[in-house]
Every structure is written in structure tokens, then in C-alpha cells.
Amino acid sequence: MTNAIYILNGPNLNLLGTREPEIYGSHTLDNVKSMCADFCKEHNYALSFHQTNIEGELVDLVQEAGKNGVGLIINPAAYTHTSIALYDALKSLTIPIIEVHISQPAARESFRQISYTAQAATGTISGFGGNSYILALTAIKLKLKNQ
Ligand code: DQA
């Protein structure tokens, strides 16, 4: 796939819309995907959008994004705070990487204060609900234009 932006979503994000709506809002992951698809269509990017609850599958998808994508947006969900395997996979990429969170982990529990994955990212966008993804797509677009 040429000109593809990968958007990867980690564990429990398939439950968006019903999972702790007071924190994560009422958008479903399908809503998020369709907002991202509209953005990509308008700006002439192909979209490769995935969700998995399995850490190794996320690692495989990060590697695939490195081979086939021009940019990567990742919401690693709970693996943000635990996964050195994902950190290592992200470190191997040369394309821009934006870490995304729906909530603002910095304002939440202490175990969410560490992000391993952000340490391998170009930048992080968090706290804007489903719109965090659109802001991340905008960031990738600017990064690709300006580099
Ligand atoms: C999250 C924040 C993480 O701390 C949490 O484990 C998630 C979702 C977010 O998008 O706000 O599952 O990544």
C-alpha cells in the first residue's frame, strides 16, 4: 500500500462507547475509524486501521507499518505503561510515530504516568477523546510535509 497511514489500537479499545464512558466518551471505535477514513480520503492517504488485544500482534503490526506505511498513529492502551517489546518495535521505525490517548493519562492514576512507548514516538496527543486521532492525523500530515 502506498501513502498509507497506519492507526493501531491496543487492548480494550474495541469496547469504546461502552467502556467507562465518563472517561473514554461515547464514541465507538467504528466512529473513530470512520472519522479517520474521512480525513484520509480528503487528504489522499490510504488508511490501515487495526485493533488487537494481543501484544505480539501489535508488535507485528508496528513492523508492518514500518515496511508499508508513511506514518504511524498508535494508541497502545495499557501496553503504553508496560511494554518494552512495543517500545523496541517502535524504535526500529524511521517513519513519524504519534502516540495517541483518548483520555489524559498524566491526570490519572500513578501507574499511567510512565509511557514506555512515548519514548520511541515523535510526539504524543492525549485528552481530546476521539478527536485525539484527528489531531494525530493532522500532526502526521504536517510532519510529512515539513520533513
Ligand atoms: C488509553 C489510556 C491508557 O492508560 C488505558 O490503559 C487505555 C486507554 C487512552 O486512550 O486514554 O486503555 O490509552
Side-chain angles (χ1 to χ4, degrees):
M1 207 184 283
T2 55
N3 220 23
I5 296 179
Y6 275 68
I7 301 186
L8 307 182
N9 294 281
N12 301 305
L13 292 171
N14 53 313
L15 300 178
L16 275 187
T18 54
R19 172 193 181 200
E20 298 181 275
E22 66 289 358
I23 295 175
Y24 298 112
S26 55
H27 278 298
T28 65
L29 196 61
D30 273 348
N31 295 152
V32 171
K33 183 178 177 180
S34 107
M35 277 165 30
C36 293
D38 288 349
F39 181 101
C40 286
K41 198 169 173 198
E42 190 180 337
H43 299 283
N44 292 315
Y45 293 109
L47 176 63
S48 193
F49 191 98
H50 306 267
Q51 188 277 330
T52 174
N53 292 326
I54 299 168
E55 185 177 12
E57 285 184 5
L58 271 180
V59 169
D60 284 345
L61 285 163
V62 167
Q63 292 181 9
E64 185 183 313
K67 274 191 212 126
N68 301 336
V70 294
L72 170 63
I73 293 166
I74 183 164
N75 184 346
Y79 292 136
T80 305
H81 317 297
T82 62
S83 180
I84 294 168
L86 257 186
Y87 165 81
D88 283 344
L90 291 167
K91 280 292 270 186
S92 76
L93 266 51
T94 56
I95 58 175
I97 301 167
I98 309 294
E99 178 167 310
V100 157
H101 298 284
I102 295 159
S103 68
Q104 167 65 309
R108 298 180 61 194
E109 301 96 326
S110 58
F111 60 82
R112 295 186 207 276
Q113 307 304 313
I114 286 185
S115 171
Y116 289 106
T117 45
Q119 296 172 53
T122 311
T124 302
I125 292 169
S126 59
F128 296 95
N131 286 326
S132 289
Y133 289 79
I134 299 303
L135 293 169
L137 279 165
T138 305
I140 290 270
K141 181 173 168 269
L142 288 172
K143 188 78 189 153
L144 290 172
K145 273 204 169 153
N146 297 336
Q147 76 187 353

